[in-house]
Amino acid sequence: MNLNKTPVAAAISIALGAMAAPAWAQQAEEPAMQKVEVSGIRASLAKSLGVKKDATANVEVITAEDVGKMPDKNLADSLQRLAGVAVRTDYDEAEKVSMRGTNPDMSLILFNGHTVSGGDWYVADQGSSSRSTSLSLMPSSVLNQAIVYKTSQANIVDGGLAGTINVTTRKPLAQKTSFGGVISAGLTYAQLPDKTSPDLNATFNWKNEANTLGVIVQGFKEKRYSRRDSVSRFAYGASSGWDVINTSTMLGITDASLAGTGLKAADLNGVRMPGSMSSEFVEGVRDRAGGMVSLQYKPNADLDVTATGFYSEMKANNNGRLTSGAMYSMLLGKNDPLGGVTASSANTSSGGQRVYAQIRNPVIVKETTMYGHELRVLKSADIVFPDGTTPQYVGNSEGFFREGAKATSGFLDLDAKYRVNNDLTVKSLLSITRGVGTTQADQGLTYARYGTGISYSLNGLKDAPDSKYIGAGSNTVGLNPDGSGYKLVGRTISGIRTVDKEASGSLDAEYRMDKGVLQSLESGVRFADHKRKSGRWNPAFKGASVAEPSGSGIVPYPGDFGNDLGGGNWDNTGFSFTPEALQAYMAANTKTTTPEWERRVATEIDMRERQTSAYLMGNLEGQGWSGNLGLRWVRTQINAQIPTPIPAGACDRTEPGKPATTCAAFPGAITTAGEAQAYYDGVPFNPKSGILYYKTATDRSFNNLLPSVNLRYELQKDMIARFGASRTIGRQNYNVLGSGFGTPTCDATGCVVTGPNPDLKPLTSDNVDLSWAWYFKPRSLVAVNVFHSKIDGYVKTGGNPSGATVQLVDPRDSQVKTFSINSSGQQGAKISGIELSYEQPIWGGFGFQSNVSRAKTKVDDGRPMVGASEWAGNLGAYFENDVFSTRLVANYRGKYVNSSTAPSPTANSQGQSVINGVAMPTAPTMAAGVTTLAFSANYTFAKNWQVTFDATNLLNQVRAQYRYSEEEPQKLDVSGRQFYLNLKYKF
């Protein structure tokens, strides 16, 4: 059927369609080559370059065969091969994707043109409220094609400040055969945990002979064991990280204690020192299972409707052990078993006298920080108590099991395209998506360790430091007769759940005009309703007594722990608990109350965000050139329910199982939540204990206009120049807009409480991009891109930018006072960079791909941009003939700030530190640059039969972190190599 309409009727159709669609989400037009089936490395490279060459915008492309012939296990692994794309890697699996030297939160990832909600599997990420999409749930096998838009255009969904990645899944009617598929079964071997696991992928496609109806069904089940060995500076209390020596409080550092070193006590003031020598191992499993179904109906050339559903679940229980020192506590003369150093914390005592640790045999080196300041570092020393001191607190050991760690992600979309007549085409896209991240029980037991000293020596950035405990006995459970050894001092159990979901829809229309250089007009509207909820809970313990667990569940560190971390003489021993032992302990020591009592309102994030947009874009074409010019209008409405503390004593808390009490002073008070308050058997309930909360509603709206222009010019045959200019938008992370208030504190200067800033506007970026590409031979390319972005609204944490206040109780005198809200502000930032790409066949079936990118970032306050790597690059070589193909790929990512992608509203890494009287930015945690090497081989040994072998992390790289400079190593970890062997049958 073909309905011929006049231009006036066509225009009316567009207008009526837009008015009748209050909730639609548009999908950018994908290049027509998307439907071409490819096989083999060389054919897929040709396809990717063809799409890149023909695109008006500056894009990067990766196809299904690219994934199939690369050692990639999820979509992030695949995307990191592209110029200007970098990933964040956890446990040696890529997860978060960033573009052009930016934070992953600044990149927007779409599936079939719509967003996808995801739940993170790791407990810290589950609570971070980041907008970045974790691709650990997305196996590479679901990919048909991924297009990375480095320049924006009006018909692309807004939200990608640095760029947008649209991943398309396969369409049934694009398959060559009426019935076919691929079945792949194999084994995965993880070297460090020394475990093997199975995996299975199967895809089936069917379509009728008329090619009007088809379906694709895909299922996957992949299991992978993991282990991470680490050494770090992490510890309890004030002993975590780095700080400076202060002889006015560290009274054991005297001229006499330093006799023979040539140093006086005053010489050590201001010297940076590590707070701890720690070791940790974590082992777990990633059990990923799910599938996809796609149904396509195309009764004629005018109508095409596709429905796609996807669901993935990853179970990721993990357990391990941390053993850490407490050198700051020792130097400060504190004996708190959890590292506390406040005035009320327990003091050391030996023979009835308080004792302070001394620093003996110090070796001090100089460093120049990333900010250009010169500092001194205590490279090695003995931190010991005076001779004859009885054992004192020297550190901790913690065993944990994160039970029920799980993430899910799913979506359902309906994509329809209808050609009204030869000039008018309309499209609609409806989608719903939901992701959940849960850790059912993050449980652990903490021991304090007692001894007389710690000795250490730093061995550089990528070697474990020498370290040993002095007078602490063997690294096993229990106290020795002299008081040395371990004592159980703490237990903890909590859960967390984050739910992210969105319903969206769009209606788009394209009207072909062919009026001079104006070839067509595109317009569309989109609406999305996004909700984010997150919160923790705490089961109640039966009593205050911390009983020792059964010894049957105690196990030593693995015998090969830390073998790949280098270094020399360091303590790589320790003990842990089996998951079953921790489960049994918690079951015996906790009790059933109510879900409401276990609730911790203070941790909750409850957000709703509605996005409305409309656009108009003209597609242009002239002699030897083409382009588009457009304008997009975006409205962002943000509603947040912010947990707000109630003055102490103003309301009564409800005992579990009793009717909820009401509070006249604060009618919205949530009196049924326990907020982790004790509720012991046999102890009278105290309704006045702890802090109660109510929720304050906020409602903000922001409007943005986003102009864009893209021009493509053929300098000569196969030589293309492009220019792009646009304004893009990125929305703030949920926690800076709607997290709860922190602990109120008051001093002589006033009262302050940490909290969110709902007035933060979305980030905007003005971008300019210029590129040149020469497709000088088949499957060959030389390209240069230069770009610059000027960002407005980048978060600056800390301070009180809005002047906001709240009425709370001064904990010193229990009086209600005005508290200044220490929150987040906004500032400017800039990104400038260049990308170089070169790929071509060499001879026979040999060829290579390479790219390198540099992105210089600058934030107004002088700090490095979170998650930004200045350098990134890839180098890959391949060989392929009719029966055999192989590929070796090296990937490099330069150093970057390794903070969470969603830093808290008052993150200390953006505060100030005063060292030797000089105020300087507080040191962030930097991830050092790392190079990884991956390999794949595919051999077709019979018709339709193929065996594949893949290997990742072949270099077994250690990943290092540091603080002000590489003289301050913070963490070193290794995850081992992974090997995959699969048998594939294609029919």
Side-chain angles (χ1 to χ4, degrees):
M1 181 177 66
N2 186 17
L3 301 176
N4 293 315
K5 292 188 177 180
T6 65
V8 173
I12 293 173
S13 297
I14 296 174
L16 290 175
M19 292 168 58
W24 306 91
Q26 79 277 355
Q27 177 180 9
E29 179 72 26
E30 301 294 348
M33 292 187 68
Q34 169 183 311
K35 296 185 178 181
V36 178
E37 177 99 13
V38 296
S39 62
I41 297 174
R42 292 168 294 180
S44 67
L45 293 178
K47 176 182 176 181
S48 295
L49 290 183
V51 174
K52 178 178 173 68
K53 179 181 178 181
D54 293 339
T56 300
N58 184 10
V59 301
E60 299 288 347
V61 184
I62 190 167
T63 69
E65 281 297 320
D66 287 326
V67 176
K69 302 297 183 181
M70 282 185 179
D72 299 328
K73 296 306 164 186
N74 69 36
L75 292 180
D77 284 327
S78 304
L79 292 168
Q80 71 176 326
R81 315 292 181 197
L82 300 175
V85 178
V87 299
R88 192 191 85 181
T89 299
D90 290 316
Y91 293 85
D92 207 47
E93 182 174 7
E95 292 205 27
K96 309 273 183 159
V97 175
S98 62
M99 295 176 59
R100 290 187 160 179
T102 62
N103 185 356
D105 290 306
M106 298 182 183
S107 300
L108 178 65
I109 298 179
L110 307 173
F111 275 72
N112 296 333
H114 59 81
T115 59
V116 174
S117 293
D120 290 297
W121 67 270
Y122 182 54
V123 64
D125 289 331
Q126 289 166 352
S128 74
S129 292
S130 165
R131 287 185 183 268
S132 59
T133 301
S134 173
L135 294 178
S136 61
L137 278 83
M138 310 296 178
S140 57
S141 57
V142 305
L143 172 68
N144 174 56
Q145 188 177 77
I147 299 183
V148 179
Y149 290 90
K150 295 181 176 179
T151 58
S152 187
Q153 52 193 45
N155 64 345
I156 296 178
V157 176
D158 49 86
L161 190 82
T164 301
I165 301 170
N166 188 29
V167 178
T168 59
T169 55
R170 293 177 178 86
K171 290 204 170 185
L173 299 184
Q175 309 309 305
K176 286 185 176 180
T177 60
S178 295
F179 179 72
V182 178
I183 300 175
S184 174
L187 297 173
T188 298
Y189 173 68
Q191 186 181 48
L192 191 57
D194 192 23
K195 292 182 179 180
T196 302
S197 54
D199 66 75
L200 176 67
N201 273 270
T203 302
F204 303 92
N205 62 272
W206 171 88
K207 61 181 180 178
N208 62 8
E209 292 184 2
N211 205 42
T212 60
L213 179 66
V215 63
I216 290 179
V217 178
Q218 179 181 3
F220 54 87
K221 184 168 179 56
E222 303 167 336
K223 192 172 184 179
R224 171 180 171 179
Y225 291 98
S226 65
R227 182 176 129 192
R228 186 176 66 187
D229 294 357
S230 305
V231 289
S232 70
R233 307 293 81 79
F234 180 80
Y236 282 79
S239 296
S240 185
W242 287 73
D243 209 331
V244 298
I245 297 172
N246 182 353
T247 58
S248 67
T249 55
M250 300 174 177
L251 303 183
I253 307 172
T254 63
D255 293 347
S257 70
L258 294 168
T261 65
L263 296 170
K264 301 292 186 181
D267 298 330
L268 270 65
N269 276 322
V271 172
R272 298 269 294 173
M273 67 167 286
S276 174
M277 294 292 119
S278 302
S279 63
E280 179 185 22
F281 91 91
V282 182
E283 57 186 354
V285 65
R286 303 230 186 152
D287 195 349
R288 181 169 58 196
M292 183 180 70
V293 177
S294 182
L295 178 66
Q296 185 177 10
Y297 177 59
K298 190 176 182 180
N300 52 50
D302 297 323
L303 179 64
D304 190 349
V305 180
T306 304
T308 303
F310 171 84
Y311 180 79
S312 179
E313 176 185 79
M314 187 166 72
K315 299 176 182 177
N317 285 356
N318 55 100
N319 63 281
R321 190 79 198 178
L322 166 73
T323 298
S324 63
M327 295 188 291
Y328 289 143
S329 295
M330 295 163 62
L331 290 168
L332 292 168
K334 288 295 181 178
N335 208 45
D336 185 284
L338 294 177
V341 294
T342 63
S344 60
S345 301
N347 295 327
T348 54
S349 177
S350 179
Q353 299 294 319
R354 186 177 182 182
V355 290
Y356 296 84
Q358 303 170 345
I359 295 180
R360 299 178 185 174
N361 305 313
V363 175
I364 298 172
V365 298
K366 290 184 178 180
E367 68 168 333
T368 300
T369 75
M370 65 182 72
Y371 303 113
H373 300 97
E374 191 171 276
L375 296 175
R376 295 172 296 154
V377 173
L378 189 64
K379 186 177 180 66
S380 66
D382 299 326
I383 313 297
V384 295
F385 287 102
D387 295 342
T389 301
T390 57
Q392 304 293 317
Y393 169 70
V394 295
N396 293 96
S397 186
E398 176 198 49
F400 59 86
F401 173 42
R402 297 179 181 123
E403 178 185 0
K406 185 174 71 172
T408 64
S409 179
F411 67 81
L412 178 64
D413 62 52
L414 180 64
D415 182 8
K417 182 178 181 180
Y418 177 56
R419 187 176 67 176
V420 179
N421 56 37
N422 290 334
D423 295 325
L424 177 63
T425 300
V426 295
K427 297 181 297 180
S428 67
L429 177 63
L430 300 174
S431 71
I432 55 174
T433 179
R434 185 175 188 265
V436 180
T438 305
T439 298
Q440 197 66 33
D442 182 4
Q443 54 204 309
L445 296 177
T446 302
Y447 285 78
R449 192 174 194 183
Y450 297 91
T452 56
I454 299 173
S455 176
Y456 78 92
S457 178
L458 301 176
N459 289 323
L461 184 63
K462 295 196 173 182
D463 284 300
D466 294 344
S467 64
K468 66 177 181 179
Y469 288 82
I470 301 170
S474 61
N475 207 339
T476 56
V477 179
L479 285 174
N480 300 307
D482 64 353
S484 65
Y486 282 108
K487 178 183 178 182
L488 182 64
V489 295
R491 63 198 176 172
T492 181
I493 180 170
S494 67
I496 186 171
R497 178 180 171 88
T498 297
V499 179
D500 188 89
K501 58 184 179 180
E502 180 175 292
S504 66
S506 69
L507 181 67
D508 298 81
E510 182 174 8
Y511 183 64
R512 191 174 67 183
M513 302 184 70
D514 200 14
K515 302 291 186 182
V517 298
L518 181 59
Q519 297 298 298
S520 67
L521 277 177
E522 293 185 49
S523 65
V525 292
R526 176 179 184 267
F527 178 80
D529 190 355
H530 195 107
K531 296 179 181 178
R532 176 87 169 201
K533 291 188 176 183
S534 179
R536 283 185 173 271
W537 63 86
N538 283 87
F541 284 102
K542 295 179 179 178
S545 175
V546 182
E548 286 282 351
S550 168
S552 60
I554 298 172
V555 292
Y557 268 19
D560 62 349
F561 173 75
N563 285 356
D564 296 322
L565 292 175
N569 179 24
W570 61 285
D571 186 356
N572 63 351
T573 64
F575 62 89
S576 186
F577 294 91
T578 65
E580 295 77 13
L582 286 173
Q583 285 178 306
Y585 182 91
M586 295 301 167
N589 286 275
T590 58
K591 63 181 182 180
T592 301
T593 54
T594 64
E596 276 297 307
W597 176 262
E598 294 182 356
R599 184 179 171 189
R600 289 174 58 184
V601 177
T603 69
E604 294 179 354
I605 291 177
D606 188 353
M607 303 279 297
R608 183 184 184 191
E609 181 177 272
R610 286 164 288 179
Q611 305 165 11
T612 308
S613 62
Y615 75 91
L616 182 66
M617 186 177 81
N619 294 306
L620 314 173
E621 187 174 342
Q623 185 65 36
W625 69 274
S626 60
N628 56 60
L629 177 66
L631 180 66
R632 187 179 186 90
W633 169 78
V634 179
R635 180 177 178 84
T636 306
Q637 296 172 271
I638 301 173
N639 306 99
Q641 299 289 329
I642 301 174
T644 306
I646 292 172
C651 301
D652 287 346
R653 192 182 306 277
T654 304
E655 186 173 359
K658 300 293 180 64
T661 59
T662 58
C663 181
F666 295 89
I670 303 171
T671 64
T672 54
E675 299 297 336
Q677 292 298 301
Y679 184 56
Y680 298 140
D681 291 343
V683 177
F685 177 74
N686 180 7
K688 300 293 186 183
S689 65
I691 299 175
L692 292 173
Y693 291 82
Y694 68 98
K695 291 198 173 182
T696 302
T698 65
D699 190 351
R700 303 289 190 274
S701 296
F702 305 95
N703 296 293
N704 296 93
L705 288 175
L706 309 177
S708 63
V709 59
N710 289 280
L711 297 174
R712 177 186 182 274
Y713 184 72
E714 294 187 9
L715 298 170
Q716 61 184 55
K717 181 177 173 57
D718 297 326
M719 188 178 291
I720 311 297
R722 288 184 178 85
F723 170 78
S726 64
R727 173 169 290 179
T728 52
I729 188 175
R731 296 176 175 89
Q732 303 289 353
N733 282 324
Y734 304 105
N735 62 340
V736 299
L737 296 169
S739 64
F741 288 97
T743 303
T745 59
C746 295
D747 56 28
T749 63
C751 294
V752 176
V753 64
T754 61
N757 184 357
D759 294 321
L760 292 180
K761 63 183 181 181
L763 297 86
T764 57
S765 179
D766 293 328
N767 316 291
V768 178
D769 185 282
L770 184 63
S771 66
W772 171 88
W774 181 25
Y775 302 83
F776 58 94
K777 287 183 179 180
R779 304 189 307 277
S780 301
L781 167 72
V782 175
V784 181
N785 302 332
V786 292
F787 58 90
H788 176 77
S789 296
K790 185 177 183 295
I791 299 172
D792 180 40
Y794 188 76
V795 169
K796 178 181 178 65
T797 58
N800 184 239
S802 65
T805 60
V806 64
Q807 297 297 114
L808 300 172
V809 171
D810 184 340
R812 300 172 302 175
D813 56 17
S814 298
Q815 298 297 310
V816 176
K817 296 179 181 177
T818 299
F819 282 67
S820 174
I821 301 175
N822 189 15
S823 187
S824 302
Q826 296 186 270
Q827 59 183 324
K830 295 178 181 179
I831 306 171
S832 300
I834 184 170
E835 299 164 349
L836 306 175
S837 300
Y838 176 32
E839 59 184 89
Q840 75 170 96
I842 302 173
W843 172 80
F846 290 96
F848 75 92
Q849 291 178 283
S850 62
N851 58 69
V852 63
S853 62
R854 187 185 189 192
K856 293 283 289 183
T857 62
K858 183 179 181 181
V859 182
D860 284 356
D861 63 9
R863 292 169 171 80
M865 184 176 288
V866 173
S869 288
E870 181 176 351
W871 290 98
N874 293 276
L875 178 61
Y878 64 86
F879 170 79
E880 182 180 51
N881 59 27
D882 291 341
V883 297
F884 181 72
S885 67
T886 185
R887 199 163 198 162
L888 186 66
V889 184
N891 174 267
Y892 172 76
R893 182 180 184 183
K895 64 183 180 181
Y896 62 98
V897 178
N898 193 43
S899 302
S900 164
T901 56
S904 69
T906 54
N908 187 48
S909 62
Q910 295 192 25
Q912 291 280 337
S913 294
V914 178
I915 304 175
N916 298 333
V918 179
M920 60 187 71
T922 298
T925 300
M926 301 293 300
V930 65
T931 299
T932 59
L933 188 65
F935 172 79
S936 67
N938 305 266
Y939 175 57
T940 303
F941 61 90
K943 184 179 180 180
N944 300 334
W945 287 93
Q946 186 179 74
V947 63
T948 68
F949 173 75
D950 301 314
T952 59
N953 194 28
L954 280 173
L955 301 178
N956 195 24
Q957 282 280 14
V958 294
R959 298 180 181 272
Q961 299 175 18
Y962 62 93
R963 300 302 292 272
Y964 273 127
S965 78
E966 293 186 4
E967 295 292 340
E968 297 187 16
Q970 177 68 14
K971 187 179 182 182
L972 189 71
D973 64 58
V974 65
S975 298
R977 301 175 180 89
Q978 301 276 343
F979 301 96
Y980 308 86
L981 182 65
N982 287 83
L983 180 65
K984 293 183 179 180
Y985 175 66
K986 185 176 182 180
F987 58 94

